[in-house]
Amino acid sequence: MTIKYLLFVAICLGIAREIYALDLTLTPGETGDAVIDATIRKIRTKCILAQDYYFLRRLAEAQMNSIAATTGGIWRVTSAQLTIVQNACNGLLQTKCNEVTTEFNVDVSTLTISDLQKPLYSGLVMSLFILNSVSPVPLQKAQQALSWKNYIYSNGDTTEFVTWSNELEQLNDCAGNQMDLVFVIDASGSVGTTNFDLTKVFLDNVVSNLDISGTETRVAVVRFSNDPHVMFGLDTHSTKTAVKSAINLITYDGGGTNTTSALDLARTSVFTNTRTSVAAKVLVLVTDGKSSSETGTVAAAQRLKDDGVTIFTIGVVNPRVSELTAAASEPSCTHFIHLNDYNEIDFIVKEIQSESCADNYSFTLLLDFIVKEIRSASCDGSIHVNDTTEITDNPLPNCNVTKQQILNSTIVITSHSFTTITVSIQCGVATMYGSFNNSNPSLANYDYITYATDMSPGRMFVGKPTSPSTFFHTISSKMLCGLNTTDCYNAHYNITFTTIGVNDSCTTVTTHSVVPIL
């Protein structure tokens, strides 16, 4: 037995050691913020209850704070509510119930009240109940509080509902994250001065809730009508005050709706200042009408998405829904938002803010192996470190603030190879969660996990998937407090991707390439 073979076995054992599949959303009796958030992400990404204006999250807090008994799970679903939903599955909610069965392999008609101890089941049934009894969900917290009292829990205290909702909004796990945020705003004739001013108020509110600096969130604005213009770029202003002042100075234009050129200008003239570290690239398109070319708009949006930009489209009053749905990132049910008027635009602040957690750095390993048969006598089972790519200098947030980032890695491996993902940290601690099946791996739902401290990097060994698949991983990092060394003036973490190939008894790797898509 050769040393190389033992090394290969050790690596394989390392792979097994790093796989601790866990899904607390399917574990009876589990609660807590991480479980609730993971459950809601599952429901939203499958478009069961896509745009609920955070009602489902606020509702979980209100129900748990108001009802001591845990019957019905996190959302405290009653037997009567379960019966209403099951009856509606044969009528009004038949399509949605079928979607639940398809997406989650859950037959709502057979669920019992005890089954709802599983967080996902409780959340699904409450989502269906909301669609049946509360829809449309009101936008404002005070109105949501009334809906809670009128339709879900008659003894509910509406004042407390608003208080709990406000406390929830103080939680920001994405504080200190890096994001390049570009607003593309419609200044065409149909918008008018009043609505354009409301758009500027919306931009101001988003900026107020972000950490603006040259190393955290950067903001740019493109205004368009007949022609687009960059009002200011990502590196123009590095303070919150400066960005807000620049937004206030933007003037209304009037004219046509040349959305295609506006999106292309954002791609070619704004999203060109790249960083060596991970930064989410987010574009928010706000428009009230139909562009001069639907096919042009969709094509321009696709070019941005191909470059790793997440697109939110906000259609106000009477937009062309097909156009903005196609232009938005997937799932479009959460990235296209249709509002009745410009006064409703403010709720989207938290939606965009949370996107700074989801970095669309798409690291693609294109391992184009040319494999040929050779005589078995020449095959030695050797291990080859093929390529390494790094994402460096990701800054840590302030002391006692936890920062989360979600990265997408498309791993295409066509030989006996695997990838090692290493996270090393300076002046902090980090936890990395990974999954092929969950686009938002977290404490409550992951397939892989590893930890990193100053002196001990964390490593995740990702084996070959059964078919080309996207591997998602979340890094939760925190700066250590009380460290006064000069090294901690630049507290950060690095991520390293290493592809490793193993020759078997009949094949050898003769060429390969690694192409990072930034």
Side-chain angles (χ1 to χ4, degrees):
M1 187 176 295
T2 67
I3 293 177
K4 290 177 179 177
Y5 177 76
L6 290 173
L7 176 60
F8 176 58
V9 171
I11 292 174
C12 290
L13 289 174
I15 295 173
R17 183 174 55 82
E18 293 296 330
I19 301 176
Y20 303 96
L22 177 72
D23 188 353
L24 295 182
T25 70
L26 294 174
T27 304
E30 287 292 339
T31 59
D33 290 339
V35 175
I36 296 170
D37 292 341
T39 299
I40 292 174
R41 277 196 297 268
K42 281 188 173 185
I43 293 169
R44 292 192 73 213
T45 54
K46 297 302 181 181
C47 298
I48 303 302
L49 184 65
Q51 290 302 338
D52 68 328
Y53 310 119
Y54 290 96
F55 184 47
L56 191 61
R57 181 63 183 90
R58 292 165 178 163
L59 186 59
E61 203 75 11
Q63 291 285 85
M64 289 192 299
N65 286 334
S66 302
I67 305 172
T70 59
T71 304
I74 288 173
W75 279 269
R76 306 300 196 253
V77 179
T78 66
S79 296
Q81 290 167 344
L82 176 59
T83 299
I84 289 172
V85 168
Q86 290 174 328
N87 290 336
C89 282
N90 294 319
L92 179 65
L93 295 180
Q94 185 173 17
T95 300
K96 278 294 179 183
C97 292
N98 289 340
E99 289 177 12
V100 169
T101 301
T102 301
E103 298 293 349
F104 298 103
N105 195 29
V106 175
D107 184 351
V108 177
S109 66
T110 65
L111 292 179
T112 65
I113 198 69
S114 62
D115 291 329
L116 305 191
Q117 286 296 308
K118 294 181 179 180
L120 179 61
Y121 290 11
S122 179
L124 285 170
V125 172
M126 182 54 76
S127 297
L128 294 171
F129 183 81
I130 290 170
L131 288 172
N132 183 76
S133 304
V134 184
S135 185
V137 176
L139 182 69
Q140 304 299 331
K141 282 176 284 192
Q143 297 302 313
Q144 290 184 7
L146 287 174
S147 293
W148 171 54
K149 182 177 179 64
N150 292 337
Y151 301 110
I152 297 172
Y153 183 58
S154 59
N155 293 325
D157 186 324
T158 56
T159 301
E160 289 279 37
F161 183 98
V162 174
T163 299
W164 294 323
S165 297
N166 290 335
E167 290 172 353
L168 270 177
E169 292 174 5
Q170 300 305 311
L171 302 176
N172 181 14
D173 288 338
C174 303
N177 267 13
Q178 293 182 312
M179 175 167 57
D180 287 343
L181 175 60
V182 179
F183 294 101
V184 178
I185 56 175
D186 187 349
S188 62
S190 58
V191 173
T193 303
T194 300
N195 287 334
F196 188 75
D197 287 341
L198 287 173
T199 300
K200 289 165 57 177
V201 171
F202 160 64
L203 268 59
D204 186 276
N205 288 342
V206 174
V207 169
S208 295
N209 286 276
L210 297 173
D211 298 315
I212 305 295
S213 75
T215 59
E216 295 172 302
T217 294
R218 304 185 301 175
V219 177
V221 176
V222 174
R223 183 197 67 189
F224 72 97
S225 53
N226 289 327
D227 297 300
H229 300 279
V230 178
M231 296 291 96
F232 56 89
L234 290 169
D235 54 359
T236 304
H237 303 294
S238 58
T239 67
K240 186 176 298 188
T241 300
V243 171
K244 289 162 73 75
S245 296
I247 290 171
N248 186 57
L249 292 174
I250 298 174
T251 57
Y252 175 63
D253 190 12
T257 311
N258 190 354
T259 313
T260 302
S261 295
L263 295 177
D264 278 334
L265 183 65
R267 179 176 59 86
T268 59
S269 298
V270 183
F271 282 118
T272 53
N273 190 355
T274 59
R275 313 191 201 188
T276 58
S277 56
V278 176
K281 295 190 288 186
V282 179
L283 182 143
V284 181
L285 170 64
V286 183
T287 180
D288 79 326
K290 303 171 179 64
S291 74
S292 55
S293 171
E294 178 174 0
T295 56
T297 295
V298 174
Q302 188 58 53
R303 288 189 285 271
L304 281 160
K305 287 183 275 189
D306 289 343
D307 286 348
V309 178
T310 297
I311 299 178
F312 286 94
T313 58
I314 303 173
V316 188
V317 186
N318 188 31
R320 184 186 285 132
V321 173
S322 60
E323 176 180 2
L324 296 185
T325 299
S329 292
E330 292 293 335
S332 60
C333 63
T334 61
H335 288 82
F336 163 60
I337 301 162
H338 187 183
L339 301 179
N340 293 320
D341 61 61
Y342 277 83
N343 289 306
E344 294 184 352
I345 208 167
D346 188 48
F347 100 92
I348 307 163
V349 171
K350 189 169 178 62
E351 188 86 33
I352 296 167
Q353 182 184 20
S354 66
E355 193 64 32
S356 66
C357 280
D359 295 307
N360 285 313
Y361 177 94
S362 182
F363 176 84
T364 304
L365 300 177
L366 300 176
L367 303 184
D368 299 321
F369 291 126
I370 299 176
V371 180
K372 64 180 181 180
E373 290 190 6
I374 58 176
R375 292 189 306 172
S376 59
S378 301
C379 298
D380 58 3
S382 58
I383 296 173
H384 303 273
V385 176
N386 296 323
D387 285 277
T388 298
T389 298
E390 294 183 319
I391 311 172
T392 60
D393 297 324
N394 301 286
L396 299 183
N398 295 330
C399 186
N400 286 327
V401 176
T402 300
K403 164 184 175 180
Q404 294 190 85
Q405 291 180 305
I406 301 168
L407 292 88
N408 302 341
S409 302
T410 303
I411 302 176
V412 183
I413 303 177
T414 58
S415 183
H416 294 75
S417 302
F418 52 87
T419 300
T420 302
I421 306 173
T422 303
V423 56
S424 58
I425 195 165
Q426 180 170 301
C427 301
V429 293
T431 304
M432 181 162 59
Y433 308 97
S435 178
F436 279 111
N437 305 307
N438 172 19
S439 61
N440 294 279
S442 67
L443 173 66
N445 187 5
Y446 60 83
D447 297 322
Y448 297 76
I449 187 171
T450 190
Y451 308 91
T453 61
D454 264 44
M455 303 302 294
S456 179
R459 291 183 176 85
M460 196 172 281
F461 301 96
V462 183
K464 176 186 174 184
T466 55
S467 61
S469 302
T470 299
F471 183 74
F472 303 95
H473 44 108
T474 303
I475 295 178
S476 178
S477 62
K478 181 186 295 186
M479 182 189 295
L480 292 176
C481 303
L483 300 179
N484 297 317
T485 65
T486 56
D487 290 341
C488 294
Y489 295 152
N490 182 32
H492 67 278
Y493 67 86
N494 300 325
I495 309 166
T496 304
F497 298 82
T498 303
T499 61
I500 301 175
V502 181
N503 289 349
D504 63 18
S505 60
C506 301
T507 61
T508 185
V509 175
T510 59
T511 185
H512 61 271
S513 63
V514 175
V515 182
I517 299 177
L518 301 177

